[in-house]
Amino acid sequence: MENINPLISIITAVKNGEKHLEECFESLQNQSYKNFEHIVIDGGSTDRTLEIISNHKSKIKFFSSQKDEGIYDGFNKGMEQASGEYLGFLNSDDILLPDALMTLKEYIVKKNYPDFIFGSVRKHWGILHGYKPWKIKFSWGFYSSHSTGFYIKKSSAKIIGKYDLRYKYSSDWDYFYRMIVKHKMRGVATKKNEIFGVFRRGGFSSKISFYDHFTEEIKIRLNNKQNRILILLIYIYKYIKNLSKL
């Protein structure tokens, strides 16, 4: 019998995130749903990040600080320490809204414990919402957001495996491809107005060039054995459409 108040593990991977880390932590600690644990993986910060973490140590279940291979390595380390029934990710420059985890819990129970859930997320230009798995074959615009918006059942995450560290910029997309296409897992999305959090401009993903995103996307599709003719069409279309960025 599933737990009607499941433990949620929230993983924060951070490196030199002093600017918004306090607000990030407070947004989690102020949740109306209290059955959660916080796991913080620091990648070897040299600013005030460690001081801020120390100030919140009584509310952090697990913490480590050491040099790593980037944010996805931090996610993997955090997942290894998680004991929750569901896992989620909260980047150091993002925040959760007060009822995010309560809404998550309600969806988990009402939707019969799905493999994963995508919550709506506010960005600087609007609200990302919904889940459209049919789009994954040709577009990455099929989900809301990884940070603050993505939650996965721990038993399902074990089947998928770790984030692939060959991909420095888009390993979350590879993870989703394996989750949706390879393993055909069942996911749901919240309504547009059921916003989980705010994805702040200027984070990790905002600093990646279009070229790096583009080339890594093609590698991910090839390595996941997607139809090569479709990959070629995607390549040509995006190359022409974004010629000025290359």
Side-chain angles (χ1 to χ4, degrees):
M1 186 174 179
E2 302 280 5
N3 186 355
I4 61 171
N5 290 300
L7 176 65
I8 311 297
S9 297
I10 301 297
I11 298 165
T12 298
V14 59
K15 182 177 181 181
N16 294 332
E18 64 177 4
K19 186 174 182 181
H20 302 294
L21 190 59
E22 186 77 37
E23 186 180 6
C24 169
F25 283 0
E26 289 179 357
S27 77
L28 177 58
Q29 293 160 9
N30 292 332
Q31 288 297 299
S32 57
Y33 183 77
K34 300 300 184 182
N35 194 23
F36 65 86
E37 63 179 14
H38 195 191
I39 296 165
V40 181
I41 308 296
D42 176 72
S45 293
T46 56
D47 62 0
R48 290 185 56 252
T49 291
L50 296 180
E51 176 186 338
I52 295 169
I53 294 172
S54 178
N55 291 339
H56 291 268
K57 63 183 179 180
S58 64
K59 297 178 181 179
I60 295 173
K61 173 69 179 300
F62 177 86
F63 161 68
S64 71
S65 180
Q66 57 185 314
K67 291 184 179 181
D68 56 29
E69 296 183 48
I71 190 169
Y72 299 112
D73 192 18
F75 292 164
N76 287 338
K77 291 177 180 177
M79 291 168 74
E80 289 175 355
Q81 299 298 326
S83 55
E85 191 171 343
Y86 279 80
L87 318 178
F89 302 86
L90 177 62
N91 289 352
S92 61
D93 46 357
D94 300 332
I95 61 171
L96 289 172
L97 298 187
D99 291 327
L101 297 187
M102 181 62 74
T103 303
L104 172 67
K105 176 254 185 180
E106 291 171 353
Y107 267 83
I108 289 171
V109 176
K110 289 179 181 178
K111 298 298 182 179
N112 195 26
Y113 302 84
D115 293 303
F116 61 92
I117 296 173
F118 284 121
S120 298
V121 174
R122 182 182 296 125
K123 295 192 76 173
H124 61 280
W125 50 263
I127 297 173
L128 292 167
H129 65 97
Y131 167 52
K132 306 175 183 66
W134 53 272
K135 278 189 172 184
I136 196 172
K137 292 292 183 70
F138 60 88
S139 168
W140 293 118
F142 62 88
Y143 69 106
S144 56
S145 175
H146 187 279
S147 176
T148 79
F150 174 57
Y151 295 83
I152 184 166
K153 201 172 185 178
K154 184 179 180 181
S155 58
S156 303
K158 287 183 177 179
I159 294 171
I160 299 167
K162 295 182 177 181
Y163 287 85
D164 192 330
L165 300 188
R166 290 179 297 173
Y167 311 122
K168 301 300 182 184
Y169 315 113
S170 310
S171 190
D172 50 340
W173 291 350
D174 167 72
Y175 192 90
F176 293 156
Y177 196 96
R178 288 183 279 136
M179 176 178 76
I180 296 165
V181 179
K182 181 179 179 181
H183 296 288
K184 296 178 172 54
M185 291 187 171
R186 181 174 67 95
V188 298
T190 67
K191 297 176 182 178
K192 182 178 180 180
N193 64 333
E194 294 173 322
I195 301 171
F196 276 21
V198 179
F199 186 94
R200 199 186 303 270
R201 193 175 191 175
F204 173 72
S205 61
S206 304
K207 300 173 184 177
I208 304 166
S209 70
F210 171 80
Y211 176 79
D212 288 332
H213 261 308
F214 181 53
T215 55
E216 195 160 273
E217 174 187 347
I218 299 302
K219 291 177 183 178
I220 289 170
R221 294 189 183 281
L222 287 170
N223 289 338
N224 280 289
K225 297 180 171 52
Q226 190 173 342
N227 184 283
R228 287 178 176 266
I229 295 176
L230 180 56
I231 294 175
L232 178 61
L233 292 174
I234 292 171
Y235 178 88
I236 293 171
Y237 171 76
K238 289 195 172 185
Y239 182 88
I240 295 173
K241 184 180 179 181
N242 299 280
L243 195 58
S244 61
K245 300 178 182 179
L246 293 170

